[in-house]
Amino acid sequence: MKGDIGVIGLAVMGQNLILNMNDHGYKVVAHNRTAEKVDEFLQGPAKGTNIVGAYSLQELVDKLESPRKIMLMVRAGDVVDSFIDKLVPLLDKGDIIIDGGNTNFPDTNRRVATLKEKGIHFIGSGVSGGEEGARFGPSIMPGGSPEAWPFVKPIFQAISAKTENNEPCCDWVGNDGAGHFVKMVHNGIEYGDMQLITEAYQFMKDGLGMTHDEMQSVFIEWNKTELNSYLVEITSDILGYKDTDGEPLVEKILDTAGQKGTGKWTGINALDMGIPLTLITESVFARCLSSLKDQRVEAEELFGKKESIVEGDKQVWIEALRQALLASKIISYAQGFMLMREASNENGWDLNYGNVALMWRGGCIIRSAFLSNIRDAYDIDPELSFLGSDSYFKGILENSMSAWRKVAAKSMEVGIPMPSMTSALTFLDGYTTARLPANLLQAQRDYFGAHTYERVDKPKGEFFHTNWTGKGGDVSSTTYNS
Ligand code: 6PG
C-alpha cells in the first residue's frame, strides 16, 4: 500500500505532524536530507507505527499514492525553493507540494504561480501551536491552489485542533499566499497579546509592588474571565515557576526579546497597505527597544532610576488593568482584521473572517475564548469593518473606557512604559473622532510643497492650492497618494 502523504523535514514540527497524521490512520512517508535523521526517527518516536522512511526524493515520490501530496516542514526561504526545484522533475502533473513553514506570503504567491505553469499544485499553509500543537492538534491555515484542497482537506482537518463544538481549526483560507498571510497576521497578533501581558506584569510588579505568587494568582483569575487564553494561562505558570534556589525563574531571564520576523512582516505589510496597525507595530518596536539592553542600562544611570510606585487600592488597580488589557486586545484584533480585510480586497482573496477566527479558536498560540466572540461578530456581519463596532465588543470598550484611561494615564505619570495599551487607546480615540487635525497637516503640505488639499465645502476629488505667502506661484504639485 502506498503512502497517503510525504513529509520532508524531521525537525520537531515535522516529526510531530507525522506522528499526528499516523494517529489518524494516514500512512506517512518521512524524508530528511540527512539519512541518519530518518533512521533515528523510525527507530525512535516512529517505532511500531505505520510510518515509513524514504532516503531519497525519488524513493519518497515512488512510495506515494497519486496525486502525490508532499509537505515541506523545512526552514522558510531558499531551502523551500531548493526542495521544490529538486522535486518538480520527479512529479507528475496534478501532484501537490505543501509548504508548512513560516514563509513570508509573497514567496508563496510566487511559488503558486510558477508551479501552476508546470501543472503542479502548491499550498502554503500556516501551522501554529508549537511542538504540542503539531503532535495533538495544531491550527492549520492553508491557501494556494484551490484545486489541491479537496485532496489535502481530509488529512488536515483530521489532524487539526477542534473547537468545543468539534469543528476543525483548519479550513481553506484563499488563493495564492492567503494562508501564509493569515498565519503572518496570527503571529503579529501573538506579538501584541504577549506585549500586552508583559505590560500588565510590569505595572503589577513595579507599580503595585506585587510578588510573583500574587501575580500568578491574578493571571489564574483573569484566565476565568473574557481573557481566558493560552497565553494568559502559560503566563500564570511562568510567574509561579521557581528556579532551583526557590526564586522566580522569570527574573533571572535577560530582558531582551528575540524575534524571527513574522511580527515585523506584519508591520511592514500594514505600512505598505496604509492600515493603522499600531498595536502590533508597537509590540515589534518594544522588542527592538528591549534589545538595546546596554544602552538602556547606561541611560537609566544617566537619567536616574524611576520610582514608579502606583498608590491606591491594589484590587481596584488590578481590575482596571484587566479591563485595560481586554480593551487593548480588542483593538489589536480589530486592527489585525482590518489588515486582513484590506489584503483580501487588494488580492481578491475573499477571506472569510469568521472562519479565520474559528481556525484560531483552538490549537494555535493565540487560542482564546475571545475568538468565539469574534466569530459571532462576523457571523452577524461578514463585512464588519471595525470589530469594535460589533455590539458585544463595543459594550466592552465602553465599559472599560474609564479604567483603561486611568491605567494609561497612571503609567505615563509614574513612567511605566506601556506602548501597546496606550497606543490602543490613542487609536480608538483617533478612530472615533470625526474631525482630526489632518486639515492643518494638509495646509502645511500645501504651504511648503504645493501638494494641494480638498475642501469640506467642495466635492471630494477636487483639489485646491493656495499661495499662502503671496510669494509662491500658482503651480501645484501632483496629487497622487502612496
Ligand atoms: C506558532 C508561532 C511560531 C513562531 C514562534 C516564535 O504559531 O506556533 O507563531 O510560528 O515561530 O511564536 O516567533 P518569534 O521568534 O518571532 O517570537
Side-chain angles (χ1 to χ4, degrees):
M1 201 184 93
K2 289 199 169 188
D4 297 303
I5 185 164
V7 176
I8 298 177
L10 296 178
V12 63
M13 291 296 281
Q15 287 199 16
N16 283 301
L17 275 181
I18 295 172
L19 293 167
N20 187 351
M21 290 169 183
N22 176 74
D23 284 353
H24 286 87
Y26 293 101
K27 185 168 175 185
V28 191
V29 186
H31 172 73
N32 198 79
R33 234 182 331 193
T34 38
E36 301 86 78
K37 268 245 161 173
V38 179
D39 286 330
E40 273 168 34
F41 181 55
L42 292 178
Q43 283 146 30
K47 208 180 164 102
T49 68
N50 287 329
I51 299 163
V52 294
Y55 295 88
S56 68
L57 291 177
Q58 185 64 61
E59 189 186 348
L60 173 79
V61 165
D62 291 343
K63 283 185 166 169
L64 289 172
E65 195 73 65
S66 276
R68 299 179 184 89
K69 297 168 277 300
I70 300 177
M71 185 162 187
L72 298 169
M73 290 305 297
V74 298
R75 197 211 283 236
D78 296 346
V79 186
V80 174
D81 284 317
S82 124
F83 271 112
I84 292 174
D85 290 346
K86 286 185 204 130
L87 275 171
V88 167
L90 311 177
L91 295 178
D92 294 321
K93 283 197 175 15
D95 284 346
I96 301 159
I97 301 177
I98 306 156
D99 170 20
N102 261 337
T103 291
N104 200 2
F105 77 95
D107 286 341
T108 307
N109 286 343
R110 168 176 58 78
R111 289 169 186 148
V112 171
T114 49
L115 286 172
K116 189 178 178 172
E117 286 165 18
K118 299 181 170 120
I120 305 291
H121 301 314
F122 188 76
I123 290 183
S125 182
V127 178
S128 176
E131 188 179 341
E132 207 185 300
R135 181 67 187 86
F136 300 109
S139 160
I140 312 180
M141 297 151 250
S145 318
E147 304 89 333
W149 179 230
F151 298 100
V152 175
K153 183 177 173 178
I155 306 179
F156 274 17
Q157 292 197 334
I159 65 164
S160 75
K162 307 288 178 298
T163 67
E164 61 277 22
N165 301 326
N166 208 30
E167 297 153 298
C169 296
C170 168
D171 205 349
W172 186 246
V173 177
N175 290 347
D176 318 318
H180 274 137
F181 180 86
V182 165
K183 176 58 168 55
M184 177 193 79
V185 178
H186 163 282
N187 279 31
I189 289 177
E190 173 185 307
Y191 275 51
D193 279 356
M194 292 168 82
Q195 174 64 23
L196 288 171
I197 290 172
T198 63
E199 291 178 11
Y201 149 76
Q202 194 170 13
F203 193 95
M204 285 192 262
K205 180 168 70 79
D206 297 345
L208 302 174
M210 290 169 64
T211 66
H212 289 75
D213 290 341
E214 285 172 330
M215 291 189 282
Q216 179 186 31
S217 307
V218 167
F219 278 100
I220 290 173
E221 285 311 306
W222 285 1
N223 205 34
K224 297 176 189 159
T225 70
E226 300 99 320
L227 285 174
N228 175 273
S229 61
Y230 171 71
L231 285 169
V232 165
E233 183 191 325
I234 66 165
T235 303
S236 67
D237 283 352
I238 291 167
L239 289 170
Y241 196 95
K242 306 287 190 292
D243 200 3
T244 43
D245 59 2
E247 294 300 316
L249 176 62
V250 69
E251 297 313 322
K252 298 189 177 173
I253 297 178
L254 187 68
D255 52 325
T256 62
Q259 49 181 320
K260 298 206 187 72
T262 46
K264 181 180 80 177
W265 298 340
T266 320
I268 291 173
N269 190 257
L271 287 170
D272 277 345
M273 290 200 292
I275 296 297
L277 192 87
T278 56
L279 193 144
I280 291 174
T281 313
E282 283 291 356
S283 307
V284 178
F285 286 141
R287 290 197 189 193
C288 300
L289 180 63
S290 81
S291 71
L292 304 177
K293 175 73 177 175
D294 294 344
Q295 292 184 40
R296 287 191 288 115
V297 169
E298 266 176 40
E300 184 180 287
E301 231 165 77
L302 189 65
F303 284 82
K305 192 171 166 53
K306 290 184 281 290
E307 277 306 326
S308 23
I309 308 294
V310 172
E311 311 278 359
D313 185 326
K314 210 187 270 185
Q315 288 315 316
V316 173
W317 275 117
I318 291 169
E319 175 53 18
L321 203 51
R322 188 190 71 81
Q323 293 185 24
L325 176 51
L326 180 61
S328 305
K329 189 171 153 128
I330 293 173
I331 297 302
S332 179
Y333 282 67
Q335 293 179 343
F337 277 79
M338 273 179 168
L339 183 70
M340 288 192 284
R341 198 160 179 263
E342 184 63 27
S344 180
N345 290 342
E346 258 185 44
N347 298 293
W349 284 337
D350 200 19
L351 292 185
N352 179 322
Y353 310 106
N355 268 1
V356 171
L358 174 69
M359 277 183 261
W360 294 348
R361 176 67 190 86
C364 64
I365 305 295
I366 64 168
R367 62 183 179 263
S368 68
F370 185 84
L371 282 155
S372 296
N373 304 110
I374 299 185
R375 191 193 179 192
D376 292 345
Y378 282 103
D379 275 350
I380 297 168
D381 179 3
E383 286 311 314
L384 186 67
S385 51
F386 175 58
L387 188 64
S389 310
D390 166 76
S391 64
Y392 172 78
F393 290 110
K394 180 166 173 276
I396 297 181
L397 290 175
E398 283 168 347
N399 289 338
S400 320
M401 192 58 78
S402 125
W404 193 6
R405 288 198 192 286
K406 242 177 67 183
V407 169
K410 186 52 84 178
S411 75
M412 296 280 179
E413 189 188 319
V414 301
I416 298 172
M418 298 179 91
S420 290
M421 266 191 220
T422 52
S423 73
L425 182 54
T426 298
F427 168 85
L428 186 63
D429 283 334
Y431 190 77
T432 53
T433 298
R435 185 158 170 86
L436 286 171
N439 50 324
L440 175 58
L441 195 140
Q442 284 295 77
Q444 291 167 335
R445 293 177 70 239
D446 190 55
Y447 186 113
F448 64 67
H451 294 294
T452 76
Y453 54 87
E454 290 164 285
R455 293 180 60 105
V456 291
D457 52 1
K458 296 278 186 227
K460 263 189 81 86
E462 222 179 294
F463 290 88
F464 298 87
H465 168 58
T466 295
N467 184 348
W468 295 87
T469 58
K471 291 186 216 133
D474 288 327
V475 183
S476 57
S477 91
T478 47
T479 56
Y480 72 91
N481 274 317
S482 103

